[in-house]
């Protein structure tokens, strides 16, 4: 339940505002992030990372987490139900500059 509340708040308080969308009822939420590249820092097992792809249409998304066990779970989910999400084990304090910039960086679980 908590994850869904955080996700809903993220969508309606941050994403739609950042994209200057005032009324979510007049757009197709399933495609709102189709043109954007997203980095999910501290993605854990990828629950909300997958929601960004499934529910907002983000086609280019990378999830990173310091826990190799959590990334293994995310990769297993990706293998079972492919969405095109890339997962990496990485420490947020030592990120390598990406070849291509990200449009949004989210960190749902960074400080949990």
């Amino acid at each position: 339940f908590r994850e869904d509340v955080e996700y809903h708040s993220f969508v309606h308080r941050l994403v739609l505002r950042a994209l200057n969308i005032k009324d979510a009822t007049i757009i197709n939420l399933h495609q709102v992030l189709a043109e954007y590249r997203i980095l999910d820092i501290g993605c854990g097992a990828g629950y909300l990372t997958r929601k960004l792809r499934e529910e907002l249409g983000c086609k280019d998304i990378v999830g990173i987490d310091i826990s190799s066990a959590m990334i293994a779970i995310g990769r297993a989910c990706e293998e079972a139900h492919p969405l095109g999400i890339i997962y990496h084990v990485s420490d947020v304090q030592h990120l390598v500059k990406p070849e291509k910039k990200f449009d949004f960086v989210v960190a749902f679980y960074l400080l949990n």
Side-chain angles (χ1 to χ4, degrees):
F1 174 76
R2 178 176 162 236
E3 289 90 356
D4 290 330
V5 171
E6 289 173 351
Y7 172 77
H8 180 77
S9 293
F10 166 74
V11 170
H12 291 277
R13 292 186 181 162
L14 297 174
V15 172
L16 298 181
R17 238 182 235 169
L19 298 174
N20 202 27
I21 298 170
K22 295 183 183 359
D23 184 359
T25 63
I26 62 170
I27 62 162
N28 179 358
L29 275 178
H30 291 285
Q31 293 300 314
V32 75
L33 292 178
E35 303 297 319
Y36 297 96
R37 185 163 200 249
I38 296 180
L39 174 63
D40 186 0
I41 297 175
C43 68
Y47 176 77
L48 292 174
T49 314
R50 294 181 70 77
K51 284 183 82 82
L52 290 171
R53 172 64 183 102
E54 293 171 328
E55 295 185 12
L56 297 180
C58 181
K59 292 194 181 13
D60 192 1
I61 187 163
V62 176
I64 65 167
D65 199 280
I66 196 167
S67 169
S68 59
M70 296 303 272
I71 291 297
I73 294 169
R75 287 177 176 160
C77 288
E78 179 63 25
E79 188 174 311
H81 304 285
L83 294 175
I85 298 170
I86 298 168
Y87 292 99
H88 294 293
V89 176
S90 185
D91 184 338
V92 69
Q93 295 182 45
H94 304 287
L95 292 178
V96 177
K97 185 176 179 179
E99 292 178 21
K100 185 178 172 190
K101 74 174 190 137
F102 290 96
D103 299 298
F104 288 99
V105 176
V106 298
F108 294 110
Y109 298 123
L110 182 62
L111 300 176
N112 280 352

